[in-house]
Amino acid sequence: MSGLFITFEGTEGAGKSTHIRLLSERLRKLGRTVRELREPGGTPLGEEIRHLLKHHPAGRGMTPEAELLLMNASRAQLVREVIRPALDAGEVVLCDRFFDSTVAYQGHGRGLDLKLVEPIIAAAVGEMIPHLTLFLHVPLAVSESRRLSRQNEQGAPADRFEESERTFFERVERGFKTIAAAEPKRVRIVDASGKIEAIADAIWVHVEPLLKNRDERN
Ligand code: TMP
């Protein structure tokens, strides 16, 4: 793969979609071809799975194991249908969540054994490991109030995940921190509680050297 694969992680309301948009604009201005994706989703099949996971009434009593498998069914399709071809074509792929979310939400959050979670992720992902993962970190109270105000402003019903208790999000948050500590080269923590421009600049500090590296090699 000659392209660059960057994933964004964090709890709800950390500003991932805003920063994916800003980074994408910056990269396009530099003449890069950018692909913005989200998980679960990003393919017609994945978007149907996303609806099942988040909003469909049939998902109400979903078991953690079924959730794990559906997340990775969506991922297996996305990797093969979109991510791999885009990277082979030299594009920059920006993905809103990827397998670290499964470790954090289904592993740490739902309490599934990581020995069960990891081989399923491996089957979905294959060799497609991100070059860089940006963990946008905001204190839990900030994430919670952003989540609630978004729901009030947009009048959107909370999805199955957003309805979870605070203790669930605490476990997810700890999960992301554990992942970042275990893989400090790939996963960079970005303090996402300040001004948008400052956060975008902090993100750029991690992205720019990777781009240069790629250009020199290609
Ligand atoms: P979002 O795209 O609006 O953040 O919604 C996706 C939800 O799905 C979010 O609550 C996190 C959750 N999720 C998992 O639980 N496991 C995963 O592997 C992924 C990709 C997302």
Side-chain angles (χ1 to χ4, degrees):
M1 57 177 171
S2 61
L4 187 61
F5 183 24
I6 303 174
T7 59
F8 285 69
E9 297 284 0
T11 51
E12 280 75 356
K16 289 183 281 86
S17 39
T18 302
H19 286 290
I20 287 176
R21 184 172 48 74
L22 292 175
L23 178 59
S24 165
E25 280 167 11
R26 200 161 187 166
L27 289 164
R28 286 196 173 110
K29 275 191 195 137
L30 294 173
R32 307 279 169 168
T33 305
V34 184
R35 186 79 63 127
E36 290 171 51
L37 300 170
R38 68 173 179 185
E39 275 212 331
T43 63
L45 176 62
E47 290 296 322
E48 292 294 328
I49 295 174
R50 178 182 177 89
H51 180 59
L52 274 175
L53 280 160
K54 287 182 55 132
H55 296 293
H56 198 287
R60 282 282 133 205
M62 189 180 299
T63 64
E65 290 81 0
E67 194 174 271
L68 169 71
L69 291 165
L70 285 173
M71 289 293 175
N72 283 284
S74 169
R75 179 166 300 135
Q77 191 69 25
L78 184 67
V79 164
R80 289 155 186 83
E81 189 177 324
V82 185
I83 297 178
R84 189 181 291 158
L87 291 173
D88 285 345
E91 296 182 16
V92 180
V93 174
L94 305 180
C95 196
D96 188 339
R97 302 191 181 280
F98 200 51
F99 63 74
D100 296 307
S101 276
T102 300
V103 175
Y105 282 78
Q106 281 66 53
H108 294 262
R110 301 281 190 230
L112 290 179
D113 191 335
L114 293 182
K115 288 201 194 87
L116 171 74
V117 171
E118 281 164 359
I120 289 170
I121 289 177
V125 164
E127 82 291 3
M128 205 52 66
I129 309 295
H131 298 105
L132 171 68
T133 296
L134 296 158
F135 167 35
L136 302 197
H137 177 257
V138 289
L140 217 52
V142 174
S143 149
E144 196 167 61
S145 75
R146 286 187 189 167
R147 195 170 70 236
L148 293 177
S149 72
R150 196 164 54 193
Q151 278 161 28
N152 292 339
E153 273 166 29
Q154 299 172 356
D159 65 42
R160 222 168 39 80
F161 295 91
E162 290 170 339
E163 283 169 350
S164 305
E165 288 171 6
R166 177 178 264 236
T167 50
F168 173 75
F169 290 108
E170 282 167 0
R171 291 195 298 276
V172 169
E173 169 81 6
R174 277 203 299 278
F176 279 128
K177 286 185 177 154
T178 306
I179 295 166
E183 283 189 80
K185 260 196 98 183
R186 174 177 67 87
V187 185
R188 303 297 169 126
I189 303 179
V190 175
D191 177 358
S193 50
K195 286 222 162 61
I196 287 188
E197 299 74 31
I199 301 164
D201 287 344
I203 287 173
W204 189 244
V205 166
H206 296 300
V207 175
E208 196 178 23
L210 283 184
L211 281 174
K212 283 202 179 127
N213 230 330
R214 293 265 114 191
D215 291 347
E216 280 162 15
R217 271 203 264 154
N218 288 337

